[in-house]
Amino acid sequence: MDLFDLYQQQQIRGQARDLRQTEENLSRNRRHTNDQVEETEERVDRLLLLCEAMWELITETTALTTEDLAAKAYELDMSDGNKDGRRQRMAVTCHCGAKINPKAGICQFCSAPAPERSAFEAV
Ligand SMILES: [Zn+2]
Protein backbone atom coordinates (compact mmCIF):
# COMPACT_ATOMS: atom_id res chain seq x y z
CA MET A 1 0.00 0.00 0.00
CA ASP A 2 1.53 3.25 -1.07
CA LEU A 3 1.17 6.72 0.34
CA PHE A 4 -1.58 7.65 -2.13
CA ASP A 5 -3.70 4.67 -1.03
CA LEU A 6 -3.34 5.75 2.60
CA TYR A 7 -4.37 9.25 1.66
CA GLN A 8 -7.43 7.95 -0.23
CA GLN A 9 -8.47 5.73 2.68
CA GLN A 10 -8.21 8.65 5.05
CA GLN A 11 -10.35 10.76 2.71
CA ILE A 12 -12.95 7.99 2.44
CA ARG A 13 -13.13 7.60 6.25
CA GLY A 14 -13.55 11.38 6.62
CA GLN A 15 -16.34 11.47 4.07
CA ALA A 16 -18.07 8.49 5.66
CA ARG A 17 -17.92 10.29 9.02
CA ASP A 18 -19.36 13.46 7.41
CA LEU A 19 -22.12 11.40 5.80
CA ARG A 20 -23.06 9.81 9.15
CA GLN A 21 -23.19 13.27 10.75
CA THR A 22 -25.36 14.59 7.91
CA GLU A 23 -27.71 11.60 8.26
CA GLU A 24 -27.98 12.20 12.02
CA ASN A 25 -28.76 15.88 11.42
CA LEU A 26 -31.40 15.00 8.83
CA SER A 27 -32.98 12.49 11.18
CA ARG A 28 -33.06 15.03 14.02
CA ASN A 29 -34.57 17.70 11.73
CA ARG A 30 -37.17 15.23 10.46
CA ARG A 31 -38.23 14.36 14.02
CA HIS A 32 -38.43 18.07 14.91
CA THR A 33 -40.51 18.83 11.81
CA ASN A 34 -42.82 15.89 12.51
CA ASP A 35 -43.30 17.14 16.09
CA GLN A 36 -44.16 20.61 14.80
CA VAL A 37 -46.65 19.24 12.27
CA GLU A 38 -48.27 17.09 14.95
CA GLU A 39 -48.53 20.06 17.33
CA THR A 40 -50.03 22.23 14.56
CA GLU A 41 -52.58 19.53 13.69
CA GLU A 42 -53.58 19.27 17.36
CA ARG A 43 -54.00 23.05 17.56
CA VAL A 44 -56.10 23.10 14.37
CA ASP A 45 -58.25 20.24 15.73
CA ARG A 46 -58.82 22.14 19.02
CA LEU A 47 -59.60 25.33 17.10
CA LEU A 48 -62.05 23.49 14.85
CA LEU A 49 -63.76 21.96 17.86
CA LEU A 50 -64.14 25.38 19.49
CA CYS A 51 -65.48 26.87 16.23
CA GLU A 52 -68.02 24.06 15.94
CA ALA A 53 -69.06 24.51 19.56
CA MET A 54 -69.45 28.27 19.08
CA TRP A 55 -71.43 27.80 15.88
CA GLU A 56 -73.79 25.29 17.54
CA LEU A 57 -74.38 27.71 20.40
CA ILE A 58 -75.06 30.52 17.92
CA THR A 59 -77.50 28.50 15.81
CA GLU A 60 -79.26 27.23 18.95
CA THR A 61 -79.74 30.73 20.34
CA THR A 62 -80.14 32.93 17.24
CA ALA A 63 -81.80 32.86 13.82
CA LEU A 64 -78.47 32.86 11.98
CA THR A 65 -78.03 30.22 9.28
CA THR A 66 -75.11 28.52 7.57
CA GLU A 67 -75.78 30.85 4.60
CA ASP A 68 -75.22 33.82 6.93
CA LEU A 69 -71.98 32.23 8.10
CA ALA A 70 -70.80 31.60 4.53
CA ALA A 71 -71.67 35.18 3.52
CA LYS A 72 -69.73 36.62 6.48
CA ALA A 73 -66.74 34.36 5.77
CA TYR A 74 -66.76 35.56 2.16
CA GLU A 75 -66.99 39.18 3.28
CA LEU A 76 -64.01 38.78 5.64
CA ASP A 77 -62.02 36.84 3.05
CA MET A 78 -62.57 39.62 0.51
CA SER A 79 -61.80 42.44 2.98
CA ASP A 80 -58.13 42.28 1.99
CA GLY A 81 -58.99 42.19 -1.71
CA ASN A 82 -58.08 38.53 -2.25
CA LYS A 83 -60.39 35.53 -2.25
CA ASP A 84 -57.86 33.10 -0.85
CA GLY A 85 -59.62 31.58 2.15
CA ARG A 86 -57.85 33.76 4.68
CA ARG A 87 -57.58 37.31 5.86
CA GLN A 88 -54.31 39.14 5.46
CA ARG A 89 -53.35 41.49 8.22
CA MET A 90 -53.43 45.01 6.90
CA ALA A 91 -50.96 47.69 7.93
CA VAL A 92 -52.49 50.47 10.01
CA THR A 93 -51.60 54.11 9.72
CA CYS A 94 -50.06 55.86 12.71
CA HIS A 95 -51.10 59.39 13.68
CA CYS A 96 -47.66 60.47 12.32
CA GLY A 97 -48.62 59.14 8.89
CA ALA A 98 -46.31 56.11 8.87
CA LYS A 99 -47.60 52.61 8.19
CA ILE A 100 -47.24 50.31 11.19
CA ASN A 101 -46.24 46.72 10.47
CA PRO A 102 -49.21 44.49 11.37
CA LYS A 103 -46.96 42.37 13.60
CA ALA A 104 -45.41 45.34 15.41
CA GLY A 105 -47.00 46.80 18.47
CA ILE A 106 -45.58 50.28 17.99
CA CYS A 107 -44.76 52.74 15.23
CA GLN A 108 -41.15 52.36 14.16
CA PHE A 109 -40.87 56.11 13.49
CA CYS A 110 -42.48 57.79 16.50
CA SER A 111 -42.86 54.83 18.92
CA ALA A 112 -46.58 55.50 19.33
CA PRO A 113 -48.52 52.35 20.24
CA ALA A 114 -50.40 50.74 17.36
CA PRO A 115 -54.14 51.49 17.33
CA GLU A 116 -56.42 48.92 18.95
CA ARG A 117 -57.07 45.84 16.85
CA SER A 118 -59.68 43.16 17.13
CA ALA A 119 -58.93 40.17 19.35
CA PHE A 120 -58.36 38.04 16.26
CA GLU A 121 -55.89 40.46 14.71
CA ALA A 122 -53.84 40.37 17.90
CA VAL A 123 -53.27 36.62 17.56
ZN1 LIG B 1 -45.82 57.07 14.19
Side-chain angles (χ1 to χ4, degrees), residues 93-100 106-113:
T93 304
C94 180
H95 65 82
C96 75
K99 294 285 186 194
I100 298 177
I106 62 169
C107 174
Q108 61 198 17
F109 293 98
C110 71
S111 298

Side-chain angles (χ1 to χ4, degrees), residues 55 59 63-72:
W55 182 242
T59 56
L64 290 172
T65 65
T66 53
E67 289 77 24
D68 296 325
L69 178 64
K72 180 53 84 175

